[in-house]
Amino acid sequence: MAESSGGSSFMYMSSDNVKGLILALSSSLFIGASFIVKKKGLKRAGASGTRAGVGGYSYLYEPLWWAGMITMIVGEVANFTAYAFAPAILVTPLGALSIIVSAVLAHIMLKEKLHILGILGCILCVVGSTTIVLHAPQEREIDSVKDVWNLALEPAFLLYSISVISLALVLIFHFVSRYGNTHVMVYIGICSLMGSLSVMSCKALGIALKLTFEGMNQLIYPETWVFAMVVVMCVVTQMNYLNKALDTFNTAVVSPIYYVMFTSFTILASVIMFKDWDRQNPSQIITELCGFITILAGTFLLHTTKDMGDNITSGLNVYPGLTTIHSSRFVVTKRSENNGFSMEEIPLRRQESRTP
C-alpha cells in the first residue's frame, strides 16, 4: 500500500505540491546565482581592501556582495516556504539544480573552467543525492512544535547535536588558522555541520508557522522561539565561513562540495531525529547508502580534476590533475597574494618535512 500510494503521488500533484515545486525550483535558481554574484562582490572588495579569506570584512561595504546576499536570502526563504507546502522528498532533490546553475554561471561570468570530468562529477553528485532523497521515507505527522521539541531532546539527537557543535568548534579554533586557506574541507565542514542543525530548526520553525497560519497558534510556546534563535546562530556561522570558502577557493569546487556535505549531514540529522530508517526495509537503506557512495565518487572527481587542462605537468601525471602513486596530492585552486588565482598542489594532510 505504501509503495502504491507513493507511486500515485508522482502521477498527481496537489495544489500545495505544485506551489512547493515552484518555490523549490525558484530557490535553486536564486541560490545558484547568489554564489556567483557574491563571489564577484568578494573579488571586487578584495581588490580594494582586506580579503574575507584572511579575516577581512571589506565585503560588507560592497553593494555587489549585498546583492548576492539578498539573492541568497530570497532563495533560502523560498526553500524554507517550500517545506511548508510540499514534502522533503519533493523539495530536497531540487536543491541539486543550484550546482548546475552555479557551475554554468561560474564558467560564463568568472571564467572558471569546468572540464568534462568535472561535469561528470556534478552529475554523480546530483544522482547520488537524488537517490538518497527519493528513497527516503515520508515525513511523520507533526501536530505541534512540542512534538518536534520532544524529538530533539531524545538522547540520540542530543548526542548528535553535541558532537556536531564540538567538531565545529574544533575546526574553528584549531584547524581554521592552520589549514583554512589550503584545505577547502575546513570551511565547508563548518558550514555543513552547522547547516544540518539549522535545517532541523528551520523545519521545526516552518511547522510552527504553518500550524499558526492554520489557526493553531504555536508562537505562544517558548520552544518555537528557541528554534528561531538556533536558526539565527547557525545561519550566521554558515554565512561567515561560506564567505571565506568562496573568497579562497574556486566557486565550481566550493558549490558542489558544500551541497554534497550539507545534504549528507542534513539527511543524517533527519534520520537520527525523526528515526526515518526505523520505517524502512533493508533494500531502501542499502539504496540510500549506494547513493551516498555515488556522492563521494562525484566529490572525488570534482576535487581532483578542476582546471586539469590548465595544469599540465610533464613526467609525473599521465592524466593531468589526477593523483598518481608519485604524488598523493590534490590540486586545489587557491587565491594568490596578488588577488589572482593560481594553481597549487595542496596536500590533503600535513606531511612530515623531508630533507632534500
Side-chain angles (χ1 to χ4, degrees):
M1 288 295 294
E3 292 182 359
S4 62
S5 62
S8 62
S9 65
F10 286 98
M11 299 175 61
Y12 173 77
M13 296 183 65
S14 65
S15 60
D16 279 353
N17 274 14
V18 172
K19 293 176 183 177
L21 175 62
I22 295 173
L23 286 167
L25 287 172
S26 301
S27 170
S28 295
L29 292 173
F30 278 113
I31 292 174
S34 73
F35 275 100
I36 308 306
V37 178
K38 288 176 66 179
K39 181 64 175 281
K40 288 183 72 69
L42 288 168
K43 291 177 70 174
R44 183 179 296 179
S48 58
T50 306
R51 295 187 295 107
V54 293
Y57 293 93
S58 59
Y59 61 85
L60 294 176
Y61 302 97
E62 175 56 51
L64 192 58
W65 182 86
W66 281 108
M69 189 64 181
I70 292 172
T71 303
M72 175 171 280
I73 291 173
V74 171
E76 294 293 350
V77 170
N79 188 65
F80 174 79
T81 308
Y83 280 102
F85 288 96
I89 197 171
L90 174 64
V91 177
T92 307
L94 297 178
L97 180 61
S98 64
I99 294 178
I100 308 302
V101 173
S102 180
V104 171
L105 290 180
H107 179 77
I108 296 172
M109 299 176 63
L110 300 179
K111 308 304 179 183
E112 297 178 356
K113 295 182 180 180
L114 189 62
H115 296 281
I116 185 65
L117 290 181
I119 295 174
L120 177 60
C122 283
I123 294 173
L124 288 175
C125 290
V126 172
V127 170
S129 298
T130 303
T131 300
I132 289 178
V133 177
L134 288 181
H135 288 83
Q138 296 290 338
E139 295 183 48
R140 64 167 64 195
E141 292 292 330
I142 301 293
D143 299 320
S144 169
V145 70
K146 286 183 172 291
D147 294 340
V148 185
W149 180 259
N150 291 333
L151 291 172
L153 291 182
E154 292 193 359
F157 189 73
L158 279 179
L159 178 61
Y160 173 80
S161 300
I162 293 172
S163 300
V164 163
I165 294 173
S166 300
L167 182 55
L169 290 175
V170 169
L171 288 173
I172 291 171
F173 292 107
H174 181 72
F175 287 95
V176 164
S177 60
R178 292 173 170 84
Y179 310 114
N181 288 330
T182 56
H183 291 66
V184 66
M185 303 299 288
V186 175
Y187 290 146
I188 296 181
I190 297 170
C191 295
S192 303
L193 288 167
M194 300 306 294
S196 66
L197 296 182
S198 70
V199 168
M200 295 300 102
S201 299
C202 278
K203 189 171 183 178
L205 190 58
I207 291 172
L209 292 176
K210 184 179 180 181
L211 292 174
T212 298
F213 291 141
E214 291 175 351
M216 296 174 285
N217 188 8
Q218 303 294 304
L219 301 181
I220 60 176
Y221 299 120
E223 291 86 351
T224 301
W225 300 105
V226 172
F227 282 126
M229 288 188 292
V230 172
V231 169
V232 171
M233 289 186 293
C234 291
V235 168
V236 168
T237 303
Q238 283 179 266
M239 291 301 99
N240 181 40
Y241 288 98
L242 182 58
N243 283 331
K244 294 179 183 292
L246 286 171
D247 189 52
T248 307
F249 301 99
N250 197 301
T251 306
V253 173
V254 171
S255 181
I257 295 178
Y258 174 59
Y259 170 78
V260 169
M261 291 188 64
F262 172 77
T263 302
S264 300
F265 280 116
T266 298
I267 291 175
L268 177 60
S270 181
V271 165
I272 295 174
M273 184 171 178
F274 294 96
K275 299 178 176 62
D276 294 330
W277 281 354
D278 290 352
R279 305 190 300 275
Q280 289 191 291
N281 57 49
S283 64
Q284 290 174 311
I285 296 175
I286 292 173
T287 302
E288 292 173 8
L289 293 176
C290 290
F292 182 70
I293 294 173
T294 305
I295 292 174
L296 293 180
T299 303
F300 176 80
L301 281 178
L302 282 167
H303 206 58
T304 57
T305 62
K306 185 69 190 75
D307 288 335
M308 56 183 293
D310 300 329
N311 193 51
I312 298 177
T313 57
S314 59
L316 290 181
N317 290 336
V318 178
Y319 300 98
L322 295 178
T323 57
T324 68
I325 58 175
H326 301 290
S327 175
S328 59
R329 294 168 179 260
F330 280 153
V331 177
V332 177
T333 303
K334 181 178 179 294
R335 183 184 287 272
S336 62
E337 294 301 324
N338 60 355
N339 290 327
F341 286 92
S342 62
M343 296 301 300
E344 296 184 5
E345 289 187 337
I346 308 298
L348 286 182
R349 59 182 182 275
R350 192 174 183 178
Q351 298 178 340
E352 297 297 331
S353 60
R354 300 173 183 173
T355 58

